[in-house]
């Protein structure tokens, strides 16, 4: 088994493969003793152990080996060393690590947390926390597909084509997903089943769910014929801003080690649920009438999102990073290392903007729902890599492999090489991208669950090999 993963790692050279290979080494090290002193266990209460490998330099100092740090369960390794590492004068350094998040949102602290504390007590103890997370995500997907069926091209808003029960279901699914995402961590601590896999599973699905929340809401307030509202380009702009705000939170944790939960999350979820309920009771026409001073709800929404991003989210992120710099607690030593996670998202949205602007067949106008869905999947694929790096305190990759085929498709489209095949090429790229992203998530989940000896959707422990 170890040789199989080792060969695979050399061939693929991927972040996930290095996770698996290093875990294998550490587990095999339990049977190897080379005279090194036994290492201390982490302090009580800490959830995970991060393991780093260092080599002794010629001057006698230690330098870290480039590569990921592996997250392990508490107490899985007590001492000794790995034969392969010892042959290179290696040393294992243990650092205590725990999930570190800060929530200062008054709505969350004084209202929602009390509700979640009551709801989590209803959940049976035999239900796995990841099952709660995945159930909420599935509800979002079902709601999104229902809206796709009735409003594929975002033209049914304001008409009788969308039944009223769809908005009731949208409110139910949105609130359920919000609640399940909020109580999964509480349930994990309640059942003492917290794990790195759960954290990665939660944040990875959040990176995809963020776009699903937004795309579903567009069916409410998109522009019907001859009335103000969200145009296709405004939808693309709004979705891009929301996704970049999500990336800012994890980029902040990548540099500070602390996830400062954004204020906008709880507020946006409550507003979405309230908006769906209002639509179900009053009718979708309410969103196509002027609110105040002749401004319509879509325009007000876009202005609020842009204002909150510029004057709230970005300044708060920079302040937290500056505070960590003043306290000398930054995880990265150089500006280059600190900015690496932003390279791929910046290139991604730059390529997508070029495609939207210069597309000969106006791909966003022709396929608005599918194009925006592709944007969400592509972003989630990039964000998941950043999340793994910030969890394991490793260096982020400079360029996501997704960017190369995307750049080729965009170049062929805007230069006219694809001609009438642009729409077909776009659909094929979207399908392959979605399959690749799902495959990546399944592989990471299975590999981590095997090496942590846990099941993803069950509280049972795996049998020790």
């Amino acid at each position: 088994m170890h040789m199989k993963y080792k060969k695979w790692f050399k061939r693929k050279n991927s972040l996930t493969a290095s996770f698996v290979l290093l875990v294998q080494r550490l587990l095999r090290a339990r049977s190897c003793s080379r005279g090194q002193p036994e290492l201390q266990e982490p302090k009580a209460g800490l959830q995970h152990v991060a393991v780093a490998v260092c080599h002794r330099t010629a001057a006698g100092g230690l330098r870290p080996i480039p590569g990921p740090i592996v997250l392990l369960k508490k107490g899985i390794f007590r001492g000794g060393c790995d034969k392969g590492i010892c042959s290179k004068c290696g040393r294992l350094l243990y650092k205590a690590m725990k999930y570190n998040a800060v929530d200062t949102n008054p709505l969350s602290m004084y209202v929602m947390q009390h509700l979640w504390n009551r709801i989590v007590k209803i959940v049976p103890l035999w239900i796995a926390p990841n099952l709660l997370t995945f159930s909420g995500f599935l509800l979002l997907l079902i709601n999104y597909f229902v809206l796709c069926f009735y409003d594929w091209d975002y033209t049914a808003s304001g008409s009788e084509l969308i039944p009223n029960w769809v908005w009731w279901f949208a409110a139910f699914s949105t609130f359920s997903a919000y609640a399940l995402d909020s109580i999964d961590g509480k349930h994990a601590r309640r059942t003492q089943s917290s794990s790195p896999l759960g954290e990665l599973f939660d944040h990875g699905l959040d990176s995809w769910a963020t776009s699903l929340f937004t795309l579903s809401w567009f069916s409410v307030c998109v522009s019907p014929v001859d009335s103000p509202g969200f145009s296709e380009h405004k939808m693309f702009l709004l979705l891009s801003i929301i996704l970049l705000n999500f990336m800012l939170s994890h980029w902040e944790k990548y540099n500070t080690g602390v996830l400062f939960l954004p204020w906008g999350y709880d507020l946006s979820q409550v507003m979405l649920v309230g908006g769906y309920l209002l639509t179900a009771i009053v009718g979708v026409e309410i969103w196509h009438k002027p609110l105040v001073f002749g401004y319509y709800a879509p325009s007000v929404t876009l202005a609020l999102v842009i204002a909150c991003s510029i004057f709230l989210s970005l300044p708060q992120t920079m302040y937290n990073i500056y505070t960590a710099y003043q306290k000398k607690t930054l995880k990265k030593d150089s500006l280059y290392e600190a900015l690496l996670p932003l390279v791929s998202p910046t290139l991604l949205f730059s390529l997508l903007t070029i495609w939207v602007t210069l597309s000969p067949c106006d791909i966003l106008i022709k396929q608005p729902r599918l194009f925006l869905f592709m944007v969400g999947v592509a972003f989630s694929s990039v964000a998941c890599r950043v999340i793994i790096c910030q969890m394991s305190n490793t260096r982020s990759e400079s360029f996501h492999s997704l960017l190369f085929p995307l750049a080729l498709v965009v170049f062929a489209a805007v230069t006219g090489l694809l001609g009438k095949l642009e729409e077909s090429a776009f659909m094929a790229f979207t399908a392959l991208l979605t399959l690749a992203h799902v495959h990546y998530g399944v592989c990471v989940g299975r590999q981590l669950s095997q090496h942590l000896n846990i099941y993803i959707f069950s509280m049972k422990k795996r049998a020790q090999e």
Side-chain angles (χ1 to χ4, degrees):
M1 181 69 71
H2 170 61
M3 292 303 298
K4 181 180 74 172
Y5 281 122
K6 187 173 182 180
K7 291 178 181 178
W8 181 66
F9 169 60
K10 289 182 178 179
R11 183 170 66 253
K12 297 295 185 180
N13 193 26
S14 67
L15 180 61
T16 307
S18 58
F19 257 57
V20 175
L21 177 59
L22 198 50
V23 169
Q24 282 279 3
R25 285 187 172 184
L26 294 171
L27 293 177
R28 289 172 61 87
R30 304 171 81 174
S31 60
C32 172
S33 178
R34 299 287 293 261
Q36 290 191 4
E38 183 178 9
L39 300 174
Q40 295 182 354
E41 279 193 348
K43 296 180 180 179
L46 298 184
Q47 300 284 348
H48 317 113
V49 179
V51 183
V53 181
C54 292
H55 280 312
R56 190 174 300 279
T57 62
L62 291 176
R63 64 176 179 84
I65 299 174
I69 296 174
V70 180
L71 299 176
L72 297 177
K73 291 165 60 178
K74 181 181 72 175
I76 198 170
F77 186 84
R78 293 180 58 87
C81 58
D82 179 68
K83 187 174 182 179
I85 298 176
C86 284
S87 63
K88 299 179 181 180
C89 301
R91 178 177 296 181
L92 297 178
L93 299 178
Y94 282 68
K95 296 182 180 180
M97 177 181 178
K98 62 179 179 179
Y99 179 63
N100 198 355
V102 176
D103 187 4
T104 59
N105 184 2
L107 175 61
S108 174
M109 294 172 59
Y110 301 114
V111 180
M112 305 311 298
Q113 288 299 329
H114 297 287
L115 177 61
W116 307 144
N117 290 334
R118 291 178 178 272
I119 294 178
V120 74
K121 295 177 182 179
I122 305 174
V123 182
L125 295 176
W126 54 267
I127 294 182
N130 289 335
L131 188 59
L132 300 177
T133 309
F134 191 62
S135 298
F137 181 75
L138 283 181
L139 282 172
L140 283 182
L141 271 182
I142 294 172
N143 178 55
Y144 176 76
F145 289 140
V146 168
L147 287 168
C148 286
F149 178 78
Y150 286 104
D151 186 24
W152 172 254
D153 53 0
Y154 288 118
T155 57
S157 181
S159 66
E160 300 296 330
L161 298 178
I162 303 180
N164 201 49
W165 68 266
V166 172
W167 306 124
W168 288 107
F169 179 74
F172 166 76
S173 59
T174 301
F175 177 78
S176 299
Y178 174 36
L180 292 171
D181 184 50
S182 300
I183 68 173
D184 55 1
K186 295 179 181 294
H187 185 63
R189 291 184 289 272
R190 178 171 168 245
T191 57
Q192 298 182 353
S193 58
S194 299
S195 70
L197 174 60
E199 181 182 349
L200 177 60
F201 194 76
D202 186 12
H203 294 318
L205 289 182
D206 284 346
S207 67
W208 198 347
T210 303
S211 63
L212 295 179
F213 280 121
T214 309
L215 297 183
S216 297
W217 176 250
F218 285 158
S219 289
V220 175
C221 52
V222 75
S223 300
V225 180
D226 300 328
S227 69
F230 276 133
S231 64
E232 289 83 355
H233 290 87
K234 284 184 179 180
M235 287 192 288
F236 174 70
L237 175 61
L238 182 60
L239 178 62
S240 301
I241 294 173
I242 291 174
L243 294 180
L244 287 174
N245 273 283
F246 180 91
M247 179 60 71
L248 276 180
S249 298
H250 288 278
W251 175 64
E252 184 179 8
K253 186 183 179 185
Y254 177 83
N255 285 283
T256 64
V258 181
L259 180 61
F260 294 90
L261 300 177
W263 283 25
Y265 174 69
D266 291 277
L267 182 60
S268 65
Q269 296 302 298
V270 172
M271 291 181 66
L272 282 176
V273 174
Y276 284 129
L277 290 175
L278 186 62
T279 304
I281 297 172
V282 180
V284 75
E285 296 80 10
I286 189 175
W287 305 108
H288 307 301
K289 298 177 181 178
L291 295 179
V292 289
F293 303 113
Y295 290 101
Y296 290 78
S299 300
V300 174
T301 302
L302 181 60
L304 284 176
V305 170
I306 294 176
C308 290
S309 301
I310 296 176
F311 299 108
L312 185 62
S313 297
L314 184 59
Q316 185 179 21
T317 297
M318 300 309 297
Y319 172 78
N320 291 331
I321 293 177
Y322 177 74
T323 302
Y325 170 76
Q326 292 289 91
K327 295 180 178 179
K328 301 185 184 300
T329 57
L330 278 180
K331 300 294 182 180
K332 308 304 172 186
D333 297 329
S334 66
L335 182 63
Y336 173 76
E337 294 287 340
L339 295 177
L340 266 182
L342 299 181
V343 174
S344 289
T346 302
L347 291 176
L348 171 66
F349 284 102
S350 298
L351 289 171
L352 293 173
T353 303
I354 292 172
W355 197 357
V356 167
T357 306
L358 303 179
S359 172
C361 74
D362 287 329
I363 191 65
L364 180 60
I365 306 298
K366 278 193 172 183
Q367 294 288 346
R369 184 176 288 277
L370 193 58
F371 188 90
L372 295 175
F373 177 80
M374 182 270 292
V375 173
V377 176
F379 171 80
S380 180
S381 182
V382 172
C384 283
R385 271 67 170 185
V386 175
I387 291 170
I388 290 179
C389 290
Q390 56 96 347
M391 280 180 58
S392 56
N393 195 24
T394 57
R395 180 181 180 183
S396 176
E397 60 184 356
S398 301
F399 300 99
H400 191 303
S401 56
L402 152 74
L403 297 174
F404 295 103
L406 176 61
L408 290 177
V409 174
V410 172
F411 175 78
V414 300
T415 56
L417 294 177
L418 291 177
K420 296 181 179 180
L421 296 177
E422 179 183 355
E423 192 171 353
S424 300
F426 157 70
M427 292 181 178
F429 174 77
T430 301
L432 292 174
L433 172 64
T434 305
L435 290 175
H437 185 46
V438 172
H439 173 73
Y440 174 80
V442 171
C443 288
V444 171
R446 291 180 62 182
Q447 291 166 7
L448 285 180
S449 67
Q450 289 173 4
H451 293 284
L452 294 175
N453 291 316
I454 58 177
Y455 290 102
I456 300 179
F457 298 120
S458 174
M459 297 293 291
K460 296 180 180 179
K461 301 293 183 182
R462 288 180 180 271
Q464 294 286 345
E465 296 181 359

